Amino acid sequence: MNNSDLQLSSLPEIASLSVQRVLSVRHWNEHLFSFTITRPASLRFRSGEFVMIGLAVEGRPLLRAYSIASPAWAEELEFLSIKVPDGPLTSQLQAIAPGDPIYLGKKPTGTLVLDTLLPGRRLFLLGTGTGLAPFLSLARDPEVYDRFGQILLTHGVRRVSDLAFRDMLEGALAGDPLVGDQALLQFRYQPTVTREEFPTRGRIGDLARDGRLFAKLAGPAQFCSETDRVMLCGSMAFNRDMANMLREQGFAEGSNAQPGHFAIERAFVD
Ligand code: A2P
């Protein structure tokens, strides 16, 4: 019996969960990793949604919400996770290897989806840390490019090595089978780093307030609720600060039931 048989036998069957296999794991630094798993044919989701992911810890399923980083059309599911040394789930999850079994929820859900936003010209995707994940999904979905003229992604992190998927994003998703050509014209990426030297430094909120964020990403056109839509995904403090800033500028929060000018979701924290 190898290690994955042992784990599989310790994953009790749960009606609301399926057991999938880890396909690949990539460690970005000592705090951050991403992984892909098999996608069951029955799993449907909208780009930007999250789903429960987990392992058996001390014989019992331990699950957390994870944004799906792959787009709705992808054959595999990709996730981005922090590593918390004493985090109940991530201390175990960071040790997964290809072939290992993993729990996957059956009902993805969430608000960072196109349905929560009114039509607009520019879509700003503003995320910190693992809050990048849902935007990796949306930025690779052709429907996003059909609905918005410009897709502008900002990723705020502490260190340069936290800029997961930087090469792919800096290359404007070149070579992506579905959105490569559109992204070249419509997609912009602006990383910002707070605790190391980097060409763009500072918190996203500060860059937005002093105008640097929109000037760098979107050019001179004024940022306003008539034409601009925003999705936020980060820590509670980030989401609160940014949502307050948007409300002050006349932006209304959208939901699945009532679309608005911006949508918000908290990034996963162990
Ligand atoms: P800072 O380094 O100044 O705390 P974390 O790893 O803690 O989730 O942070 C990820 C990034 O989000 C960091 O660059 C951090 O900046 C930034 N950040 C934290 N809180 C806020 C906030 N309220 N508004 C904007 N950015 C924030």
Side-chain angles (χ1 to χ4, degrees):
M1 190 185 267
N2 66 27
N3 186 36
S4 63
D5 291 333
L6 273 171
Q7 278 204 34
L8 188 56
S9 63
S10 69
L11 288 186
E13 295 247 339
I14 310 279
S16 60
L17 304 171
S18 69
V19 177
Q20 301 302 313
R21 290 274 162 194
V22 175
L23 295 169
S24 66
V25 183
R26 179 167 184 181
H27 293 273
W28 298 91
N29 62 25
E30 70 274 32
H31 308 287
L32 189 67
F33 70 111
S34 56
F35 56 97
T36 60
I37 69 171
T38 51
R39 175 179 182 172
S42 57
L43 188 91
R44 298 179 62 165
F45 69 96
R46 298 174 295 175
S47 296
E49 287 191 317
F50 66 83
V51 68
M52 302 309 283
I53 282 278
L55 295 173
V57 175
E58 291 166 6
R60 310 180 68 152
L62 180 63
L63 301 158
R64 293 283 186 268
Y66 272 85
S67 288
I68 304 171
S70 32
W73 53 264
E75 282 175 22
E76 301 171 359
L77 301 176
E78 187 160 38
F79 301 93
L80 182 61
S81 178
I82 48 170
K83 307 175 191 178
V84 180
D86 53 359
L89 179 62
T90 65
S91 61
Q92 312 283 317
L93 195 62
Q94 63 181 285
I96 53 170
D100 285 350
I102 187 164
Y103 278 131
L104 175 70
K106 292 184 178 171
K107 290 205 184 309
T109 183
T111 51
L112 297 181
V113 292
L114 287 174
D115 295 339
T116 62
L117 293 180
L118 294 163
R121 265 204 288 254
R122 302 187 295 191
L123 175 62
F124 288 86
L125 306 172
L126 310 181
T128 60
T130 56
L132 174 70
F135 303 149
L136 291 168
S137 172
L138 287 155
R140 290 183 279 178
D141 188 326
E143 204 185 334
V144 173
Y145 293 85
D146 294 342
R147 291 238 203 142
F148 293 93
Q150 285 186 292
I151 305 1
L152 308 158
L153 168 63
T154 293
H155 189 201
V157 296
R158 296 181 184 196
R159 292 164 300 258
V160 179
S161 65
D162 294 329
L163 292 172
F165 298 95
R166 180 181 169 190
D167 287 350
M168 179 179 94
L169 296 168
E170 268 180 352
L173 309 165
D176 184 279
L178 289 197
V179 303
D181 292 347
Q182 281 170 298
L184 203 59
L185 299 171
Q186 293 171 248
F187 177 79
R188 298 273 176 286
Y189 167 63
Q190 178 61 66
T192 180
V193 175
T194 47
R195 302 194 189 186
E196 282 180 358
E197 284 305 317
F198 195 69
T200 301
R201 291 200 59 182
R203 287 182 162 195
I204 292 175
D206 295 335
L207 297 180
R209 264 182 290 274
D210 69 18
R212 276 190 291 160
L213 178 69
F214 305 117
K216 281 202 173 197
L217 266 177
Q222 209 186 336
F223 179 68
C224 71
S225 62
E226 299 259 301
T227 52
D228 293 322
R229 303 291 168 258
V230 185
M231 289 189 178
L232 303 173
C233 191
S235 63
M236 234 150 60
F238 169 80
N239 286 355
R240 187 193 55 228
D241 292 351
M242 295 302 298
N244 286 341
M245 196 191 87
L246 290 172
R247 285 193 191 98
E248 280 165 20
Q249 298 187 38
F251 284 69
E253 183 175 349
S255 67
N256 276 293
Q258 184 161 22
H261 305 121
F262 75 96
I264 194 163
E265 203 123 76
R266 195 180 160 199
F268 170 82
V269 181
D270 201 13

